[in-house]
Amino acid sequence: MGRELIMALFLSLSLLSVPFAAEAAGIRHYKWEVKYEYKSQDCYKKLAITINGRTPGPTIEARVNDTVVVELKNSLLTENVAIHWHGIRQKGTPWFDGTAGVTQCPIVPGDTFVYKFVVDRPGTYLYHAHYGLQREAGLNGMIRVLLPPGESEPYTYDHDRSILLTDWYHQSTYEQATGLSSLPFVWVGEPQSLLIHGKGKFDCSTPGLKSGLCNTTNPECSPYVITVVPGKTYRLRIGSLTSLAALSFEIEGHTMTVVEADGHNVKPFVVKNLFIYSGETYSVLIKADQAPTRNYWAVSKVVSRNSTTPNGLAIFNYYPNHPRRSPPTVPPIGPAWNDVAPRLAQGEAMKARQGYILPPPQISDRVIVMLNTQNRINGYTRWSVNNVSYNLPDTPYLIAVKDRLNHIFDQTPPPDGYDSQNYDIFSIANNTNATTSSSIYKLQFNSTVDIILQNANTMNPNNSETHPWHLHGHDFWVMGYGQGKFDINSDPKKYNLVNPIMKNTVSVQPYGWTALRFVADNPGVWAFHCHIEAHFYLGMGVVLEEGVEMLGRYPTSITGCGDTKGYRRP
């Protein structure tokens, strides 16, 4: 009771504070205003969604078991908003997961909403918009959770830096959403730029640009600079919140040692370039051990798509060289976009670090096979799971399940699999039975669940895409990867039951499969979806429910939409 009183008093006092994180009694308080501002992140002027005028937004810094309080004012004027705390499991606070339509009603223009949750593990995490396509408009940032005082990592470094990788479109999210939802279908296309911590460079001599929109001398789009002192070792926390692109990231002339993935310690392995998919985070150690008389390129590059997007460039600056001094070399061109082997090899190289292994349950209680399909439903292009394309209801699932509002969503359970014997994953499928649904997977509390993500051909010949899948509210063990069609009889025998890495986001490669295992031990309703913005928007996701009856009353702040319009009363 005393702690609650202190917290309430602190919160009331902190409303008067400046919009920076304050630290007191394990509470990290942030006061954010979300609004549109004109930005020239890649030299091209366009509207971006900012937090206190910044994109990426401020990095949240906290220690294990701290309470993070984010007081968010929606000043978008014409748009709702919600922010998801990506990788934070929200134990006991599922209503603050920040997923509009799943765990809360969106925050309407002019309203202030308070998110309050505990960060219960060290590591590198993310936050981003989870409403419509807003994530790609710049509403994103990183979360850094440090160990308790006196504890140390199983590796050493001199300095700690965060780098957020994104892609950047010049079209507005409204234009993109309209194209995706129209007949004829209009795809979003490839991004115009890759940004390294909010900075990129678009070619302002591109024909057809309106005068005054693009300016290469704008300091906003000067390359991002990572300054290092010769001989020192740096922990680079690298996160990706691209809306479409899978990336390779490298620093010219240097190798990187991977030590953390999605908050879990990795058995260290060395890479020249790091493959990173939307929603993933990694920590790598890099030593400034090259010739200190010059600067070096840091490069992000699109992989898994035959993309027209130019590489993102930043400067790895050896002190005391001038930070704006361009390296004397041509930037590395990066790996071939369609070379799947090294991407699979990186996934398979990732194991839990000795001393930090949390062994998975040896068997599962339920197996759900999820075929990633693209199809047409009533003429409209959709992405689907087992030929079921997901539609969000107007009332959040968490409220609907808790209050037994069964009319809100389809009560017929979604399929646990597909006709794998007769389905040819290598050719365009007819998929005449494709449908839309708002049904959810009800999981037995504390049961062990296996999910097999199976990739297939899209509606284009000889085309299968890479999908990064993110699970809210949980970490899962990555049990294995494979190429071709998953064999439920033989492939589970090859699972890594000894030291599999735990993650919250994982990729499934073209014409391949990925197997993951988790324990349904977090009461709530949780999204599991492809982290490509347009794919999730077009239905490529599911919702899982477990143990909701164990939850106490949800805060009324998450209500106000659909059937909950009358819930907010004084």
Side-chain angles (χ1 to χ4, degrees), residues 182-496:
S182 293
L183 285 174
F185 177 74
V186 183
W187 175 239
V188 297
E190 300 301 311
Q192 277 64 61
S193 302
L194 296 181
L195 306 183
I196 298 179
H197 217 75
K199 290 172 175 284
K201 188 137 289 193
F202 181 68
D203 181 2
C204 287
S205 65
T206 303
L209 292 186
K210 285 183 189 169
S211 64
L213 271 185
C214 207
N215 177 8
T216 50
T217 62
N218 189 325
E220 266 191 76
C221 60
S222 57
Y224 184 66
V225 177
I226 308 154
T227 299
V228 296
V229 173
K232 299 289 186 185
T233 297
Y234 291 81
R235 176 183 184 170
L236 299 184
R237 298 174 186 258
I238 304 167
S240 172
L241 281 175
T242 53
S243 55
L244 175 66
L247 298 174
S248 158
F249 178 79
E250 66 181 294
I251 294 175
E252 177 193 13
H254 297 72
T255 56
M256 299 179 281
T257 303
V258 180
V259 292
E260 178 220 347
D262 291 0
H264 293 276
N265 288 317
V266 171
K267 181 181 178 182
F269 66 98
V270 177
V271 295
K272 180 172 149 302
N273 53 277
L274 177 76
F275 295 107
I276 183 166
Y277 305 90
S278 179
E280 289 190 316
T281 63
Y282 289 101
S283 283
V284 299
L285 300 183
I286 183 165
K287 189 166 187 185
D289 58 2
Q290 297 302 299
T293 52
R294 52 161 288 197
N295 291 336
Y296 296 82
W297 293 110
V299 182
S300 63
K301 178 194 175 162
V302 177
V303 292
S304 90
R305 302 185 68 84
N306 191 5
S307 178
T308 53
T309 309
N311 291 356
L313 297 176
I315 293 175
F316 197 67
N317 163 232
Y318 270 71
Y319 182 83
N321 296 314
H322 194 283
R324 300 278 174 240
R325 185 170 153 204
S326 280
T329 46
V330 173
I333 57 168
W337 71 269
N338 56 354
D339 190 355
V340 177
R343 306 207 302 268
L344 264 175
Q346 179 182 298
E348 287 166 347
M350 231 177 301
K351 317 286 187 200
R353 187 177 184 125
Q354 195 65 38
Y356 295 86
I357 298 167
L358 187 60
Q362 296 295 291
I363 55 169
S364 65
D365 301 305
R366 183 175 179 183
V367 179
I368 303 171
V369 182
M370 294 188 176
L371 177 74
N372 295 179
T373 60
Q374 187 189 31
N375 41 43
R376 283 192 183 88
I377 301 172
N378 300 324
Y380 291 90
T381 299
R382 301 282 297 198
W383 279 97
S384 307
V385 174
N386 296 335
N387 283 337
V388 178
S389 189
Y390 169 75
N391 278 339
L392 276 170
D394 296 330
T395 304
Y397 283 106
L398 182 59
I399 298 170
V401 174
K402 182 74 179 157
D403 291 355
R404 296 189 176 91
L405 306 175
N406 291 342
H407 63 282
I408 296 296
F409 60 93
D410 298 342
Q411 294 299 305
T412 309
D416 272 18
Y418 71 106
D419 182 5
S420 62
Q421 205 157 5
N422 297 310
Y423 194 101
D424 180 5
I425 65 166
F426 296 102
S427 59
I428 299 173
N430 188 351
N431 289 342
T432 48
N433 60 337
T435 184
T436 58
S437 176
S438 59
S439 60
I440 61 177
Y441 288 92
K442 292 181 183 293
L443 306 178
Q444 189 177 338
F445 189 70
N446 262 336
S447 64
T448 299
V449 181
D450 281 2
I451 293 181
I452 317 301
L453 297 165
Q454 174 69 64
N455 232 333
N457 208 93
T458 66
M459 291 190 299
N460 299 314
N462 305 313
N463 175 253
S464 181
E465 298 194 4
T466 302
H467 299 286
W469 277 79
H470 170 56
L471 178 58
H472 293 225
H474 304 78
D475 292 333
F476 49 74
W477 290 274
V478 182
M479 305 302 289
Y481 300 90
Q483 292 172 294
K485 194 187 287 186
F486 177 77
D487 186 321
I488 201 151
N489 296 311
S490 61
D491 284 327
K493 294 172 184 167
K494 305 173 204 161
Y495 285 174
N496 176 9

Side-chain angles (χ1 to χ4, degrees), residues 97-114:
D97 185 54
T99 314
V102 178
T103 59
Q104 71 170 96
C105 290
I107 308 157
V108 299
D111 264 14
T112 296
F113 184 93
V114 178

Side-chain angles (χ1 to χ4, degrees), residues 38-51:
Y38 280 107
K39 293 287 179 186
S40 299
Q41 292 180 275
D42 66 348
C43 308
Y44 181 92
K45 183 180 175 184
K46 71 158 277 189
L47 283 171
I49 302 180
T50 63
I51 297 172

